[in-house]
Amino acid sequence: MAEIHAIKALRSLQSLKKIGFMVPSSNTALEPITVSMTNQLGARVSLHFSRVEVTTLDTNQQSVGQFAPNKMLAGAVLLGDAKLDALLWNGTSGSWSGKGLQAEHALAASIEQKTGIAASTSTLAQVEVLEQKGIKRLSLAGPYVDGPMQGLVDFYSGLGYEVLATSQMDETLNTNVGHTPLARIKELIRKCDHPDAECVVVACTNWPAALVVEEMEAELGKPIYDSVCVTLWKALRMVNIEVALHGWVQVLKFLIPNYLEFMNIPSLNFRVLRNPGSFVVVGQAVIEVVVDTTDKGGQKQQLVEV
C-alpha cells in the first residue's frame, strides 16, 4: 500500500526520473507491461509515450517505410518538449528490416541531436545485453512471417552470433500480435530452444512474452531476453536507477551484473550493489549496502522497511 501512495509524499514531480518511449501506433502490449514492471519502483520513475504510425510487420517496402527515421524523430520531438531524462524507440524494426545496427546508432544520435536528450533503441539494448553476458549462440522467437524472421537471423548472424534455431507465428497484423494467447507464446519459445543455445531472444515489443518469460526461464534453464524487458533494462540504466525488479525476467532482477553479488536470505533471493551507501529496492524492502573494510570478504546488509 505504501508504494501505491508514494507519489503523494513527493514535494514535486521534478524528482521523478522521466523516461519517454516512441511506440508503434498499433501496439497494445508494451505500455501496460512496462508500467506493471515499474510499479515496484514507487515514486522514482515516470513513463511517457508517443506513437509512430505502424500497423503491419513485414519486409516489403510499404511496411519498412513505416519506420522511416523522420517519423520516429517526430514522435521523439513531442516527447522532448517535456524535457525528459531519456528517450527510446521501443520497437525492434532495426533488427529485422535490413537497415542494420549502424542505422540504429544513427537514429539514436539523431534523436539526441534533435532533442538534447540521451537516446537509445530496443535493438541497441538487446545487443548490449548479449555483449554484456558474453553470448555467442542463441535461439530466436517472434510473431513474424518469413521476411522479418530471416531478417532477424541475418542481423544477429552478421554481428557474429550463431543462430541455432528459430520459431515464428506467421503474423503480419500488429493488433493480432498484441492479442496472442500466452500459451501460444510459451509453445513457440519451447519450439525454438536448442540445447546448445545460451539464451533465447524474443523479438517484438507488441508480443506479450514478458508475461511468461520468468516461467519459461525456469523451465528451460536459461535466460530469455525479451524486447520489452531489455528496453526497460536499458532505460533504467540511462537514468541511473539501479534496482532489482522481481517477478519478471532475469535481466531485470540483476540490472548491473558486473557490480552485483548474489545474496541469500530466507524467503528472499536478491542481488545487491557492491557500492557502499547505495540503496537497492527489493519488493517492499530497501537494502542499504555497507562494506566491512576490516574483512575483505565481508559485507553487511541492513533491511529497512518502506
Side-chain angles (χ1 to χ4, degrees):
M1 187 63 68
E3 291 185 1
I4 296 175
H5 301 295
I7 195 168
K8 293 184 177 180
L10 296 176
R11 297 181 63 183
S12 165
L13 295 184
Q14 186 176 5
S15 62
L16 293 172
K17 295 294 187 180
K18 300 174 179 65
I19 301 170
F21 297 106
M22 288 80 75
V23 180
S25 60
S26 51
N27 194 315
T28 56
L30 81 82
E31 288 155 308
I33 290 173
T34 303
V35 169
S36 294
M37 288 192 290
T38 56
N39 279 344
Q40 296 175 40
L41 299 178
R44 299 188 63 187
V45 64
S46 64
L47 306 177
H48 309 270
F49 302 93
S50 181
R51 291 187 171 253
V52 177
E53 186 177 5
V54 175
T55 57
T56 59
L57 306 172
D58 208 341
T59 49
N60 58 54
Q61 185 175 357
Q62 182 178 356
S63 286
V64 173
Q66 299 171 116
F67 306 101
N70 64 303
K71 296 182 179 181
M72 284 183 265
L73 277 175
V77 168
L78 293 176
L79 287 170
D81 289 343
K83 307 302 180 186
L84 306 181
D85 298 297
L87 293 173
L88 298 95
W89 161 235
N90 209 324
T92 60
S93 55
S95 62
W96 55 258
S97 64
K99 295 182 178 181
L101 191 63
Q102 284 305 115
E104 290 293 284
H105 283 295
L107 174 61
S110 296
I111 293 171
E112 291 185 6
Q113 182 179 21
K114 193 75 173 179
T115 65
I117 299 171
S120 190
T121 74
S122 298
T123 297
L124 294 178
Q126 186 70 266
V127 172
E128 184 176 342
V129 168
L130 296 176
E131 289 176 348
Q132 271 203 10
K133 299 293 184 178
I135 298 295
K136 301 298 182 184
R137 300 178 303 278
L138 56 85
S139 294
L140 291 168
Y144 308 117
V145 293
D146 288 345
M149 283 306 299
Q150 186 58 51
L152 284 171
V153 173
D154 293 343
F155 176 79
Y156 287 105
S157 297
L159 294 177
Y161 298 100
E162 186 178 357
V163 179
L164 300 177
T166 66
S167 62
Q168 63 194 69
M169 196 172 71
D170 294 319
E171 181 59 66
T172 60
L173 192 62
N174 200 30
T175 49
N176 289 344
V177 170
H179 298 155
T180 306
L182 301 185
R184 178 61 171 149
I185 296 175
K186 289 192 283 187
E187 175 187 333
L188 288 168
I189 291 175
R190 289 189 192 101
K191 183 178 178 181
C192 83
D193 186 34
H194 186 284
D196 294 330
E198 298 166 284
C199 73
V200 175
V201 170
V202 176
C204 185
T205 61
N206 197 33
W207 214 31
L211 301 177
V212 303
V213 163
E214 184 182 42
E215 175 187 347
M216 295 307 298
E217 285 182 328
E219 178 180 319
L220 301 182
K222 64 184 61 176
I224 299 173
Y225 298 125
D226 166 71
S227 300
V228 175
C229 294
V230 299
T231 306
L232 178 59
W233 171 86
K234 178 60 178 178
L236 293 177
R237 287 172 63 89
M238 290 171 71
V239 297
N240 298 314
I241 293 183
E242 301 172 349
V243 299
L245 300 182
H246 288 264
W248 299 94
V249 66
Q250 284 184 28
V251 75
L252 288 174
K253 294 178 184 176
F254 315 131
L255 272 171
I256 309 183
N258 291 336
Y259 301 94
L260 297 174
E261 180 174 16
F262 187 72
M263 307 295 295
N264 287 298
I265 287 182
S267 77
L268 180 63
N269 291 330
F270 60 92
R271 293 190 176 195
V272 296
L273 293 169
R274 290 184 180 178
N275 183 8
S278 65
F279 291 83
V280 182
V281 178
V282 182
Q284 289 188 311
V286 176
I287 295 87
E288 180 182 3
V289 182
V290 183
V291 174
D292 183 354
T293 56
T294 63
D295 181 353
K296 293 182 179 179
Q299 281 200 337
K300 299 176 183 178
Q301 291 73 44
Q302 178 182 357
L303 297 185
V304 183
E305 289 299 320
V306 174

